[in-house]
Amino acid sequence: MKLDILAFGSHPDDVELGCGATIAKEISLGKKVGIVDLTRGELGTRGTAEIRDKEAEKSAKILGVAVRENLEFADGFFVNDKKHQLEIIRMIRKYRPDIVLCNSVDDRHIDHGKGSKLVSDSCFLSGLIKIDTKFDGDDEWQDSWRPKYVYHYIQWKSVVPDFVVDVTGFMDKKMEAIQAYASQFYDPASKEPETPITSKNFLDSLEYRARDLGRLVGVSYAEGFTVERMVAVNTLSNLM
């Protein structure tokens, strides 16, 4: 299956938090989108890996993504090395996305920055024809494939975006997908320990950040992204 967009997250829920509304909008426009989680989030203070597996599946159905996979890297301890790069290269070559979305380049959680660099490096390496990959049990070698664009969504830190996407009309879908992770976010009835992301303020911040980015460009809601290389447009009229 060829995908238009493949979104990577270090943990289940990273993608929804960072660019869930953008994904919902792209799917509504007929684009095929997939999600690959690097870890199962097993070190999270709340819930378990098994609970988060089920929550990720529920969230994927809400967004309507074509596929969701988990590479089961070690939460907190995966590194940017050949072993991990090859696993991501296999995913990129399997789905051949034109666009890859991945974690913020700089963030509070150490896995976010690590995941960002790991995916970015793998996108480049995936285009090298002398790197041979195939899945276990497959007889055929994969063809090389390099995504045209790699964009980084924004997470905990208020990183200044290089561009924003108008997601007006899709915030409700984003919040519904996020709240599928019932073990992770604000729940006044929960008896589990509090974390920086379990407060109502954090949940509210997702909306007011989108509102503020939207305000800056004259729309109701927007999600921001950073780029690694210059973004080009065909004509000036392509800019809002």
Side-chain angles (χ1 to χ4, degrees), residues 26 150 235:
E26 293 292 340
V150 179
T235 68

Side-chain angles (χ1 to χ4, degrees), residues 166-219:
D166 177 6
V167 294
T168 304
F170 295 92
M171 280 300 293
D172 286 347
K173 181 72 73 174
K174 172 188 174 105
M175 297 309 295
E176 183 183 359
I178 289 168
Q179 289 170 325
Y181 295 92
S183 69
Q184 299 302 301
F185 301 112
Y186 177 67
D187 177 4
S190 176
K191 303 300 182 183
E192 295 198 66
E194 294 295 325
T195 76
I197 65 171
T198 61
S199 69
K200 187 175 185 299
N201 185 31
F202 173 76
L203 209 58
D204 291 344
S205 75
L206 303 173
E207 183 171 359
Y208 62 66
R209 171 185 276 169
R211 277 188 178 276
D212 193 48
L213 289 176
R215 173 187 65 83
L216 294 172
V217 296
V219 300

Side-chain angles (χ1 to χ4, degrees), residues 219-238:
V219 300
S220 296
Y221 295 97
E223 287 182 328
F225 298 84
T226 63
V227 301
E228 298 180 16
R229 61 186 178 88
M230 189 177 297
V231 175
V233 295
N234 290 325
T235 68
L236 289 175
S237 60
N238 289 138

Side-chain angles (χ1 to χ4, degrees), residues 5-223:
I5 301 169
L6 186 57
F8 288 87
S10 293
H11 313 103
D13 74 28
D14 281 357
V15 170
E16 288 89 342
L17 290 167
C19 58
T22 298
I23 285 176
K25 181 174 184 176
E26 293 292 340
I27 291 171
S28 78
L29 296 173
K31 298 295 178 64
K32 288 186 178 180
V33 182
I35 297 175
V36 174
D37 302 309
L38 303 188
T39 78
R40 298 172 71 199
E42 63 270 20
L43 294 184
T45 301
R46 290 189 176 190
T48 64
E50 291 74 20
I51 289 172
R52 297 187 75 171
D53 289 345
K54 293 177 181 178
E55 292 172 340
E57 182 180 358
K58 181 179 179 181
S59 181
K61 289 179 179 177
I62 291 169
L63 289 176
V65 298
V67 65
R68 185 170 206 153
E69 297 203 39
N70 195 302
L71 293 177
E72 299 188 19
F73 293 167
D75 190 11
F77 294 99
F78 69 84
V79 295
N80 186 2
D81 63 3
K82 181 178 179 180
K83 176 184 176 182
H84 291 83
Q85 290 164 354
L86 286 172
E87 290 299 311
I88 294 176
I89 290 169
R90 290 186 182 97
M91 288 289 109
I92 294 169
R93 290 177 174 181
K94 178 179 180 179
Y95 293 113
R96 296 173 292 149
D98 298 311
I99 297 172
V100 161
L101 306 177
C102 56
N103 288 97
S104 179
V105 295
D106 177 35
D107 210 44
R108 171 184 167 273
H109 197 300
I110 62 170
D111 279 356
H112 295 170
K114 286 194 298 180
S116 172
K117 181 63 172 169
L118 172 58
V119 171
S120 177
D121 288 352
S122 300
C123 285
F124 177 81
L125 293 170
S126 184
L128 301 181
I129 63 174
K130 290 185 178 180
I131 295 178
D132 295 325
T133 58
K134 63 180 177 180
F135 283 103
D136 292 340
D138 285 357
D139 294 327
E140 295 185 7
W141 295 97
Q142 294 179 308
D143 292 330
S144 61
W145 182 270
R146 182 175 294 148
K148 295 178 182 177
Y149 311 103
V150 179
Y151 301 140
H152 301 264
Y153 46 83
I154 295 172
Q155 299 186 259
W156 179 270
K157 291 185 178 181
S158 295
V159 177
V160 177
D162 293 316
F163 71 90
V164 300
V165 176
D166 177 6
V167 294
T168 304
F170 295 92
M171 280 300 293
D172 286 347
K173 181 72 73 174
K174 172 188 174 105
M175 297 309 295
E176 183 183 359
I178 289 168
Q179 289 170 325
Y181 295 92
S183 69
Q184 299 302 301
F185 301 112
Y186 177 67
D187 177 4
S190 176
K191 303 300 182 183
E192 295 198 66
E194 294 295 325
T195 76
I197 65 171
T198 61
S199 69
K200 187 175 185 299
N201 185 31
F202 173 76
L203 209 58
D204 291 344
S205 75
L206 303 173
E207 183 171 359
Y208 62 66
R209 171 185 276 169
R211 277 188 178 276
D212 193 48
L213 289 176
R215 173 187 65 83
L216 294 172
V217 296
V219 300
S220 296
Y221 295 97
E223 287 182 328

